Amino acid sequence: MLNFDIQNHRPLREIVYEELKLQILTGKIAPGTRMMEVELAEDMGVSRTPIREAIRKLEKEGLVIIEPRRGAYASQISTEDMVEILEVRQNMEGLAAFIAASKMKPEQLKCIEQAEEEYNRAVETGSTADMIYYDSQFHKLIVEASNNKTLLQLIEPLQEMALRFRYLYYDDFKRAENMPHEHQVIIDAIAQGNAEAAKEAADTHIKKLKELVMTEGV
């Protein structure tokens, strides 16, 4: 059940929508799961109306499929879907790293380095949840360090979709083995103000993941 005491200043439909979205992105609601309004409403302690509104909104975002006379289902994830997302991320995050190399503020670099330290610690301890969280933070912080609002707005929905994929590819730990080194190459290039090297490092990082996905599938 949702905790409304700490969120009572926000519209109920917004709270329900964000909770359902998070459950789909993190795999708590698995791909192909039927989303029963009555059950979801009971679980969250709300009426069916905000659940229905949330499902319709999630359908527009591609996270839910509504089939006539069958109901709503969490959308499936295919290798093709993941490759398409990574193709776009490869270009846009490369651009973000390129811009960040010249526009990043010192405190932003510190935040990126801290996120990477936590990520490396998660890899060492084998904490999948922390790997997913700090990997997401690492990429998000680099985009923010570009200090380009337009780019941030364009990449944000892509990074949300990437969160869903992370819960799949981090299920196979070997996919994280080379991440710390690849992340560090990106950080070093940005810190040195080498825009071309930063772009190439970010591009290569995501390209390797894309190639792995194409070879092994989701």
Side-chain angles (χ1 to χ4, degrees), residues 78-117:
S78 68
T79 297
E80 183 180 356
D81 292 333
M82 191 169 180
V83 169
E84 287 181 357
I85 291 292
L86 290 170
E87 284 175 340
V88 180
R89 281 188 60 203
Q90 182 180 338
N91 286 281
M92 296 187 77
E93 293 195 26
L95 175 60
F98 180 91
I99 298 174
S102 60
K103 296 181 67 176
M104 180 183 59
K105 301 171 184 177
E107 59 269 25
Q108 290 177 314
L109 175 60
K110 185 175 181 180
C111 288
I112 293 171
E113 291 174 334
Q114 288 175 340
E116 180 58 9
E117 287 176 6

Side-chain angles (χ1 to χ4, degrees), residues 122-142:
V123 172
E124 291 173 0
T125 60
S127 174
T128 301
D130 284 347
M131 279 190 278
I132 291 171
Y133 176 77
Y134 287 109
D135 186 25
S136 299
Q137 283 295 105
F138 175 80
H139 288 277
K140 181 179 179 181
L141 289 168
I142 288 177

